[in-house]
Amino acid sequence: EVHLVESGGGLVQAGGSLRLSCAASGLTSDEYGIGWFRHVPGKEREGISCISNSDGSTYYVDSVKGRFTISSDNAKNTVYLQMNNLKPEDTTVYYCASGRDCGEAMGVVYLLGNVDWGQGTQVTVSS
């Protein structure tokens, strides 16, 4: 059973930074993707970034390109999302999730296959 635990959320002023962590366990394949998603009121969760374990490819939605960076530490089975220049509109709950691999189409970032989710972490950016 895949288990994902997010941490690192909190309150920050606009222009500030946060680093989210996603600790993963129970992944049985060397080929998988881990992505970060965020809750959008009235919509499905928005995929904002993803990293593919097979080749290290990274994917970003346009709204976070140049501000957010995804990385992984395979020794720790942890994926990070460094978020810089945060804006009030970035305020929401952020989730990490795992799937068979990452995908991107028409600016949408997603995970392939069965997706497992973490419990989420709140990010609040004050103006």
Side-chain angles (χ1 to χ4, degrees):
E1 180 181 359
V2 176
H3 191 51
L4 303 167
V5 179
E6 304 97 332
S7 61
L11 173 64
V12 65
Q13 289 187 330
S17 298
L18 284 174
R19 188 178 79 158
L20 304 183
S21 299
C22 174
S25 61
L27 293 166
T28 58
S29 171
D30 288 334
E31 295 187 356
Y32 58 87
I34 291 186
W36 286 96
F37 294 72
R38 62 187 178 186
H39 174 69
V40 179
K43 299 182 180 180
E44 294 184 3
R45 293 174 184 176
E46 174 190 39
I48 57 173
S49 185
C50 195
I51 185 165
S52 176
N53 187 63
S54 60
D55 62 3
S57 296
T58 57
Y59 305 83
Y60 299 93
V61 69
D62 284 347
S63 60
V64 306
K65 283 181 181 177
R67 300 190 299 126
F68 293 7
T69 303
I70 193 169
S71 62
S72 64
D73 184 337
N74 289 340
K76 296 181 179 180
N77 289 330
T78 300
V79 170
Y80 304 98
L81 185 69
Q82 178 67 42
M83 305 188 296
N84 298 330
N85 191 22
L86 282 161
K87 305 175 181 180
E89 52 264 40
D90 294 318
T91 295
T92 188
V93 180
Y94 286 72
Y95 301 86
C96 74
S98 67
R100 181 167 52 83
D101 204 345
C102 302
E104 181 184 12
M106 294 184 290
V108 176
V109 174
Y110 56 91
L111 283 165
L112 301 171
N114 293 326
V115 179
D116 294 291
W117 296 91
Q119 82 287 353
T121 186
Q122 175 71 44
V123 170
T124 303
V125 184
S126 63
S127 57

